Amino acid sequence: ESKSLHMPSHDLCTLLQSWDGSINSADRLTVPDENGNKFAKYEHDAICRLLLNNDRPDSMVNYPVNCWDLSAITQNLSMFRESAPVVELTLRNSDPDSGECSFYMRDKNRNWIKVENIFKINNVSSNDLDLCHERLWLARDYMTAVENYAELNGIEMTDVMNRFGRINLPDYKNIGTWNYSDLFGMYKTDKEDQIEDD
């Protein structure tokens, strides 16, 4: 359901008059007739409007003859689900001598600003590596991976970080604290679960 496609009712008894009580994908795969599952009919209508519309650049009409669908552009234009707004952060080298990384984002003038305090992000990568290095069969180290890729491809490390060090966070700030780990990614930490430094 969207602004342009409204269901006549939100009562499932009305929409699923022919439902036999089983849950499967049969109605999703076959085009329903007028007397069938009205819920599935509206889903088919919405998909046709989205994917078979020549006014949209991501239309499936020309899918077999174009190559741009091999990129992520189609997914960005037609998200699987409408998500909450996100902000894109980039993990960059904050101190070249120490190898320390911090999260940054671009401001209106395309300048990099450090945002770990704004989004309450604790970078626990070095602690994780020290604790887990001997226990894990695969230890991920972001800076080592960046250095290896840059050397292998003959490009600057900053270019590698700007391309591959990106992550999306929900675009709201008062949701507790985040921990970032090279090994475990970004995960939320509730205030009562935080470990205080001694």
Side-chain angles (χ1 to χ4, degrees):
E1 190 168 30
S2 66
K3 292 177 183 176
S4 60
L5 184 66
H6 295 281
M7 292 188 180
S9 169
H10 289 158
D11 181 359
L12 288 179
C13 293
T14 302
L15 294 172
L16 301 175
Q17 288 177 350
S18 64
W19 186 46
D20 63 3
S22 63
I23 297 175
N24 57 52
S25 60
D27 287 329
R28 174 63 191 85
L29 299 174
T30 58
V31 179
D33 59 36
E34 289 300 319
N35 299 322
N37 181 335
K38 289 183 173 54
F39 193 82
K41 178 188 180 304
Y42 284 104
E43 184 182 21
H44 279 267
D45 289 347
I47 290 171
C48 284
R49 282 174 164 224
L50 180 68
L51 298 180
L52 300 178
N53 181 353
N54 273 329
D55 295 334
R56 292 179 58 95
D58 54 339
S59 169
M60 296 295 287
V61 173
N62 295 318
Y63 177 78
V65 295
N66 289 331
C67 296
W68 70 288
D69 50 276
L70 298 174
S71 69
I73 297 171
T74 51
Q75 286 81 8
N76 288 332
L77 289 172
S78 299
M79 294 281 189
F80 179 65
R81 287 191 174 89
E82 189 171 335
S83 304
V86 295
V87 61
E88 184 178 87
L89 307 181
T90 304
L91 186 59
R92 307 181 84 235
N93 199 345
S94 53
D95 182 358
D97 294 331
S98 70
E100 293 287 322
C101 288
S102 299
F103 282 96
Y104 291 79
M105 66 183 291
R106 298 265 196 186
D107 64 13
K108 292 185 284 189
N109 300 318
R110 305 288 297 154
N111 297 317
W112 290 105
I113 55 171
K114 191 173 178 179
V115 294
E116 288 188 345
N117 290 336
I118 296 171
F119 289 95
K120 299 177 185 170
I121 301 170
N122 297 318
N123 192 335
V124 297
S125 298
S126 57
N127 295 342
D128 283 345
L129 286 173
D130 292 342
L131 291 171
C132 302
H133 202 293
E134 295 177 5
R135 300 180 190 175
L136 298 178
W137 66 272
L138 178 63
R140 295 179 56 217
D141 180 351
Y142 177 67
M143 282 308 297
T144 300
V146 167
E147 290 170 9
N148 291 342
Y149 189 92
E151 185 178 336
L152 185 66
N153 293 280
I155 56 179
E156 295 293 324
M157 286 176 54
T158 52
D159 294 332
V160 177
M161 288 184 271
N162 292 345
R163 181 175 179 189
F164 296 109
R166 292 180 288 186
I167 189 168
N168 288 336
L169 279 187
D171 191 12
Y172 40 85
K173 301 174 182 67
N174 298 319
I175 55 171
T177 302
W178 295 94
N179 279 349
Y180 170 77
S181 160
D182 284 350
L183 298 170
F184 305 112
M186 187 78 78
Y187 54 95
K188 190 174 178 304
T189 305
D190 294 328
K191 289 180 182 176
E192 58 270 18
D193 294 336
Q194 292 177 28
I195 299 172
E196 295 183 4
D197 294 329
D198 292 314

